[in-house]
Amino acid sequence: MDHVSHPEIREAVARLCARFPGEYWRGLDRDRVYPTEFVNALTEAGFLSVLIPEEYGGSGLGLGAATAVLEEIHRSGGNGGACHAQIYTMGCVLRHGSAEQKARYLPGVASGEIRLQAFGVTEPTAGTDTTRISTFARRDGDRYIVNGQKIWISRAEHSDLMVLLVRTTPREDVKRASDGMSVLLVDMREAVGNGLTIRPIRTMINHATTELFFDDLSVPAENLIGEEGRGFHYILDGMNAERILIAAECIGDGKFFLDRGAAYAKDRKVFGRPIGENQGIQFPLARAHVQVSAAALMVDHATALFEADQPCGTEADMAKLLASEASWYAADQCLQIHGGFGFAEEYDIERKFRETRLYQVAPISTNLILSHVATHVLGLPKSF
Ligand SMILES: Cc1cc2nc3c(=O)[nH]c(=O)nc-3n(C[C@H](O)[C@H](O)[C@H](O)COP(=O)(O)OP(=O)(O)OC[C@H]3O[C@@H](n4cnc5c(N)ncnc54)[C@H](O)[C@@H]3O)c2cc1C
């Protein structure tokens, strides 16, 4: 089942991850601590700058290299959620930033000196309906003054810069609801305590996610990315990479559960024989393997389209849906096969089970993908 793409990257990532075993992740999970040493090791090895062009100090590789990195982290039992956004958030600056902004920020992001791994889109009252965001940036001379609130903004406390989506024109004053939003690059080092308050949210997984409150935060107008009013389109642009990379994490999770499930089924003896001799144990594992393999092909397909600069929004969505459901099925079966031991923290199954559940909700929930496929691919009438 293993992919053959980027074997050298996979081996190097697997070697690095072996230095961070289950015990490491368990300890962090227990106290909801950020995996600083792991993130530093990945940064030093250059794995977080694979998508940054060489002229800015990255390795200039395609998206497939990044999927290999994240899949292997997850297959090893770790979690890329603490830093995966360092790989792709910079895409907004790379694609839509000015030459000056790229020269100013990208080399630091590539070296890891600058952490650009927070992106603020979701708001408590807007939910998935992003055009309803109300965080507003008012132009005042050479500054923007930002007021509003964001929720579920991950890694905000571990980021030097944040890509922030704001309204710059009220929804009622634009022709299309998706117009009138803009992207600002917020320097968190200056903003926190000066109009930005970060409040961590404790969740069922160790994800460093937060709530943000903006109270007259002043941002230099030169930190506007691209054109004012076009921000929604810039954010949409970056979502394909994000969804494909998250799907790759799910494939890694799926393989983790299959590795662990099969090993345990061979080893555990009940009624005088390995439980894996029973077809009632074999078939769910085999089905999980089939589902993870099929989803992995969809991830590869979406990645190939992305690398060829072809439209891939639907394929990225479908890959994320299939991969998140395949990893969840594999997680459920792996836990079941482990019996009571599946619930013991030291096996890492329950932690990974909790972690992989996220991806049916974030970064886009399953229903929203189905709605996109129904209306955009099948031509069914829109329901909202
Ligand atoms: C741990 C975590 C980390 C996150 N990190 C970030 C981050 O870094 N930055 C960021 O901007 N956001 C982040 N998010 C937010 C995430 O993208 C959203 O939670 C997700 O998109 C779902 O939006 P919502 O929570 O507002 O759900 P809602 O939009 O309120 O939807 C709730 C449920 O209703 C369903 N639903 C809604 N409308 C319809 C409909 N018309 N038909 C059928 N079903 C519908 C949805 O599918 C969902 O299941 C994160 C979330 C979590 C939990």
Side-chain angles (χ1 to χ4, degrees):
M1 176 170 80
D2 276 348
H3 291 241
V4 286
S5 74
H6 303 287
E8 64 304 326
I9 291 183
R10 289 170 186 275
E11 278 162 33
V13 173
R15 264 200 311 278
L16 185 151
C17 289
R19 289 163 37 204
F20 299 92
E23 200 178 14
Y24 171 76
W25 294 101
R26 244 174 278 144
L28 300 173
D29 181 64
R30 192 176 304 127
D31 302 323
R32 297 295 191 269
V33 175
Y34 189 77
T36 304
E37 302 79 9
F38 175 72
V39 175
N40 287 346
L42 275 182
T43 305
E44 277 159 31
F47 292 128
L48 299 182
S49 58
V50 284
L51 297 185
I52 300 180
E54 283 173 297
E55 60 176 307
Y56 299 114
S59 36
L61 297 171
L63 193 69
T67 64
V69 170
L70 292 173
E71 184 189 315
E72 291 306 320
I73 292 172
H74 280 248
R75 185 180 192 164
S76 78
N79 194 300
C83 54
H84 55 200
Q86 178 83 1
I87 297 180
Y88 57 78
T89 311
M90 65 80 209
C92 190
V93 179
L94 181 64
R95 278 188 300 273
H96 307 291
S98 65
E100 199 272 326
Q101 288 169 331
K102 289 190 241 190
R104 186 159 164 206
Y105 297 116
L106 293 180
V109 178
S111 71
E113 206 178 308
I114 298 177
R115 293 249 168 249
L116 170 51
Q117 55 181 9
F119 55 93
V121 175
T122 310
E123 295 190 5
T125 50
T128 312
D129 189 0
T130 306
T131 66
R132 302 257 171 208
I133 63 164
S134 54
T135 296
F136 198 87
R138 176 176 54 81
R139 184 75 187 247
D140 181 14
D142 60 355
R143 320 281 297 180
Y144 282 100
I145 308 300
V146 182
N147 281 287
Q149 191 182 340
K150 296 278 175 186
I151 194 166
W152 307 123
I153 309 310
S154 305
R155 302 161 297 273
E157 297 164 293
H158 306 280
S159 212
D160 301 307
L161 299 175
M162 170 171 64
V163 162
L164 178 68
L165 185 69
V166 291
R167 270 227 166 263
T168 37
T169 310
R171 195 174 190 269
E172 47 282 10
D173 295 347
V174 285
K175 241 200 246 144
R176 284 183 309 170
S178 57
D179 290 340
M181 286 177 267
S182 304
V183 169
L184 296 177
L185 204 52
V186 174
D187 192 323
M188 307 294 272
R189 297 160 294 191
E190 294 169 5
V192 175
N194 292 305
L196 171 62
T197 306
I198 305 180
R199 187 190 296 162
I201 307 175
R202 195 176 159 97
T203 61
M204 71 188 256
I205 54 173
N206 184 20
H207 203 83
T209 200
T210 69
E211 210 170 352
L212 305 181
F213 301 89
F214 302 92
D215 182 13
D216 283 339
L217 172 71
S218 172
V219 179
E222 64 186 36
N223 287 21
L224 175 74
I225 302 286
E227 277 177 54
E228 193 179 282
R230 301 270 311 147
F232 183 73
H233 307 281
Y234 303 156
I235 294 287
L236 265 191
D237 234 27
M239 284 179 173
N240 292 338
E242 180 186 42
R243 287 171 196 177
I244 294 170
L245 291 172
I246 299 285
E249 294 188 338
C250 293
I251 299 298
D253 283 346
K255 290 181 177 179
F256 167 87
F257 291 119
L258 283 164
D259 292 344
R260 291 296 183 91
Y264 190 77
K266 284 183 215 162
D267 189 51
R268 172 73 170 167
K269 292 200 178 60
V270 184
F271 298 110
R273 59 185 187 157
I275 56 169
E277 269 183 40
N278 303 300
Q279 290 188 325
I281 297 284
Q282 291 175 359
F283 287 3
L285 272 181
R287 183 176 294 278
H289 174 83
V290 172
Q291 292 182 357
V292 171
S293 302
L297 288 178
M298 194 69 212
V299 177
D300 285 350
H301 176 54
T303 304
L305 289 175
F306 185 96
E307 288 190 342
D309 254 339
Q310 299 287 316
C312 65
T314 299
E315 290 76 8
D317 270 358
M318 293 200 296
K320 209 281 289 185
L321 184 149
L322 287 172
S324 63
E325 292 187 347
S327 71
W328 178 241
Y329 180 76
D332 199 25
Q333 299 314 319
C334 184
L335 189 124
Q336 189 69 16
I337 283 168
H338 277 75
F341 291 105
F343 293 83
E345 288 182 355
E346 65 172 291
Y347 280 74
D348 294 313
I349 308 297
E350 61 82 30
R351 173 177 57 81
K352 292 285 284 179
F353 177 94
R354 285 184 276 118
E355 289 174 355
T356 210
R357 184 62 180 82
L358 172 66
Y359 295 133
Q360 290 175 71
V361 171
I364 178 85
S365 59
T366 302
N367 274 0
L368 270 292
I369 294 176
L370 292 175
S371 157
H372 169 85
V373 171
T375 55
H376 287 75
V377 182
L378 303 179
L380 296 171
K382 287 192 169 183
S383 52
F384 58 91

